[in-house]
């Protein structure tokens, strides 16, 4: 039997984001400058907003002994868990910067999606995922299942 999976998301512009989400995206854009990406030349920034309003950022950190590096999303998620245990993560914003320094689209890889799914399970609330593609195209997903159908759970 054939089944059809529907992906729910909102598309908006940078100007249409709420002040809180725009601030989160601006933090993600800013942290792309701290990425260490000498091999891919693709600098990714991620910013999280915790339930108390605290922002936690992360950038991708590559390593010549691939896959020893870490994506921006997991850098931020693990930093939040280590530095703010017990705080719920409400939202994550993700953006890339290409080798020419131009902001470009980025969405989480499969490993990052799975980590986000476990964060949702652990905290019992959906994670708002905001992916930048251009100032005129930002995709907002209400929950990781929109990005990762058939999430692995135990």
């Amino acid at each position: 039997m054939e089944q059809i999976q529907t992906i729910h998301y909102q598309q908006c512009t940078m100007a249409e984001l709420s002040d809180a989400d725009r601030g989160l995206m601006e933090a993600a854009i800013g942290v792309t400058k701290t990425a260490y990406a000498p091999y891919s030349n693709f600098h990714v920034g991620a910013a999280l907003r915790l339930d108390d309003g605290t922002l936690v950022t992360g950038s991708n950190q590559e390593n010549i002994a691939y896959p020893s590096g870490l994506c921006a999303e997991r850098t931020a998620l693990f930093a939040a868990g280590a530095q703010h245990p017990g705080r719920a993560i409400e939202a994550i914003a993700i953006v890339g910067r290409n080798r020419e320094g131009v902001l470009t689209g980025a969405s989480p890889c499969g490993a990052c999606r799975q980590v986000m799914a476990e964060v949702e399970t652990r905290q019992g609330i959906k994670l708002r995922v905001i992916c930048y593609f251009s100032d005129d195209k930002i995709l907002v997903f209400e929950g990781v299942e929109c990005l990762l159908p058939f999430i692995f759970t135990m």
Side-chain angles (χ1 to χ4, degrees), residues 7-24:
I7 299 171
H8 296 276
Y9 64 92
Q10 292 179 307
Q11 182 174 327
C12 61
T13 66
M14 189 74 151
E16 292 170 332
L17 287 173
S18 68
D19 290 343
D21 286 348
R22 190 170 35 262
L24 192 62

Side-chain angles (χ1 to χ4, degrees), residues 16 28 40 84 91 103 106 110 112 118 120 123 130 148:
E16 292 170 332
S40 71
H84 305 278
L103 294 177
C112 289
E118 190 158 329
E120 276 189 348
Q123 64 187 23
I130 307 164
L148 184 63

